[in-house]
C-alpha cells in the first residue's frame, strides 16, 4: 500500500540523502531502483481519515495510509512509529502491528 504523501516522500528523500552526503551516488541509484520496483506493484490508497497520534506529526500520514489500506503489519525503522504503544495504534488503526524488519523476521 502507498499513498500520495508516501509517493512524494519516496520521490524526494533519496536525492536529499545524496545531497547531504549520507549516501553515495551508487546507493542513490540503487535506492531509486528499489523504490521504483516497489511502487510499480503497490496499490495506491487515498487516506480519508486524518490522524494525530505520532510524536512526529509528519509520520501520521503513514498510519493514515495503513488505515485506508486495512494494513495488518507496518515494517519500519522509524523510531517514532516503533515507539507508539500498540493500544494507541489499535485504537486508531485496528489490527495494525508496527514492527522493525528484524522483529518481523524474528516473529
Amino acid at each position: 500500500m502507498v499513498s500520495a504523501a508516501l509517493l512524494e516522500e519516496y520521490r524526494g528523500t533519496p536525492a536529499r540523502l545524496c545531497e547531504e552526503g549520507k549516501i553515495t551516488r551508487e546507493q542513490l541509484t540503487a535506492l531509486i531502483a528499489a523504490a521504483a520496483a516497489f511502487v510499480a506493484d503497490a496499490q495506491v490508497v487515498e487516506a480519508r481519515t486524518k490522524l494525530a497520534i505520532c510524536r512526529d506529526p509528519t509520520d501520521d500520514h503513514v498510519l493514515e495510509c495503513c488505515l485506508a489500506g486495512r494494513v495488518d503489519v507496518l515494517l519500519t525503522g522509524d523510531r517514532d512509529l516503533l515507539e507508539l504503544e500498540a493500544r494507541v495504534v489499535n485504537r486508531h488503526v485496528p489490527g495494525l502491528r508496527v514492527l522493525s524488519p528484524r522483529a518481523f523476521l524474528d516473529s
Side-chain angles (χ1 to χ4, degrees), residues 18-83:
C18 190
E19 289 169 6
E20 293 172 355
K22 294 181 178 177
I23 62 173
T24 66
R25 280 274 190 218
E26 293 78 22
Q27 290 170 320
L28 172 65
T29 301
L31 190 53
I32 290 171
F38 165 75
V39 169
D41 292 329
Q43 179 183 352
V44 178
V45 296
E46 181 180 342
R48 300 179 190 275
T49 303
K50 288 289 185 190
L51 299 175
I53 62 174
C54 292
R55 179 174 48 207
D56 177 356
T58 63
D59 289 333
D60 284 322
H61 72 92
V62 176
L63 297 175
E64 293 164 2
C65 178
C66 291
L67 177 62
R70 296 187 176 111
V71 173
D72 296 324
V73 178
L74 169 61
L75 298 181
T76 184
D78 186 287
R79 287 184 188 261
D80 290 321
L81 289 169
L82 289 167
E83 291 175 1

Side-chain angles (χ1 to χ4, degrees), residues 3-16:
S3 67
L6 285 171
L7 287 172
E8 188 63 33
E9 190 171 324
Y10 295 157
R11 184 176 298 123
T13 299
R16 181 180 50 77

